[in-house]
Amino acid sequence: MKTDIKLAGVGGQGILSIATVIGEAATAAGLHLKQAEVHGMSQRGGDVQSDLRLSTDPIHSDLIPQGGADLILSMEPMEALRYLPYLGPEGTVVTSSKPFVNIPDYPNEIALQEELDALPRMTKMDIDAVAKDLMAPRSANMVLLGMAARHLAILSPDDLRAAIRTVFGRKGEKVVEDNLKAFDAGYEGL
């Protein structure tokens, strides 16, 4: 069994934290894991993306080929569309519905939403609004991870919850609980 995940977003949105949580869960579950990251101009609001390859068998490359991703997980809708060439024929897109407009020529939001809605397997939610409603605005990335958990047959939701506890544990119990609440809200589709 294998799962190839393309993570995408803008610098500062928490893409690398999602990758860390998935990586921790995969390692604890005894899976093989390869990861590649591109930070680009992340500190200036630029593109951040990561390839995560999880498998029960050895993995020979850390890069996902075009047409090979099982899942595109994106903090930002335009970034989800940017990486569509990597999506496999049976792949799923899980994305925030709310744009992060950080460039003057950002695409028309209506056209962007229509393009997302035309995808055969896509889930979207305003993850920022959900995180704010939970009084955990810095946990929008865990809302997105919760949404994606339904599409990660290689890892259970409990594997991911345990990884959230491990990864955020050094930041204190409130941070752990905020991130778990956010994950569960995404998983339940709130």
Side-chain angles (χ1 to χ4, degrees):
M1 174 182 268
K2 75 153 187 75
T3 300
D4 288 339
I5 307 164
K6 178 70 86 172
L7 296 164
V10 174
Q13 289 187 303
I15 285 297
L16 300 181
S17 293
I18 294 173
T20 300
V21 169
I22 294 172
E24 174 65 30
T27 301
L31 298 172
H32 295 271
L33 166 70
K34 293 276 187 179
Q35 179 178 358
E37 298 172 356
V38 175
H39 301 272
M41 293 292 290
S42 61
Q43 292 180 344
R44 298 186 183 257
D47 174 45
V48 176
Q49 62 97 11
S50 180
D51 286 4
L52 278 173
R53 306 189 81 191
L54 315 173
S55 180
T56 53
D57 299 314
I59 304 165
H60 302 290
S61 173
D62 54 354
L63 297 177
I64 299 170
Q66 285 197 359
D70 300 298
L71 184 63
I72 292 176
L73 184 54
S74 181
M75 292 289 295
E76 206 285 324
M78 184 179 73
E79 294 300 324
L81 295 174
R82 178 193 310 259
Y83 291 102
L84 281 182
Y86 288 90
L87 191 63
E90 299 301 314
T92 301
V93 173
V94 177
T95 186
S96 174
S97 60
K98 185 172 181 190
F100 181 80
V101 180
N102 63 340
I103 55 175
D105 58 345
Y106 193 91
N108 175 281
E109 187 176 347
I110 293 170
L112 189 71
Q113 298 299 330
E114 287 174 353
E115 194 168 345
L116 283 172
D117 291 339
L119 297 173
R121 283 167 297 288
M122 187 274 308
T123 301
K124 66 180 179 176
M125 179 189 305
D126 186 343
I127 60 175
D128 292 317
V130 171
K132 285 177 187 169
D133 287 348
L134 294 170
M135 308 285 275
R138 295 180 50 109
S139 299
N141 59 340
M142 292 300 111
V143 175
L144 188 71
L145 180 58
M147 292 167 59
R150 294 185 176 277
H151 306 284
L152 290 173
I154 200 163
L155 292 170
S156 75
D158 286 338
D159 292 333
L160 293 164
R161 286 184 190 97
I164 289 169
R165 286 193 178 284
T166 300
V167 169
F168 293 105
R170 65 180 166 74
K171 293 185 177 188
E173 193 57 30
K174 175 159 180 18
V175 173
V176 170
E177 291 307 317
D178 284 350
N179 282 288
L180 287 170
K181 264 193 318 191
F183 175 86
D184 287 339
Y187 186 74
E188 293 164 10
L190 297 178

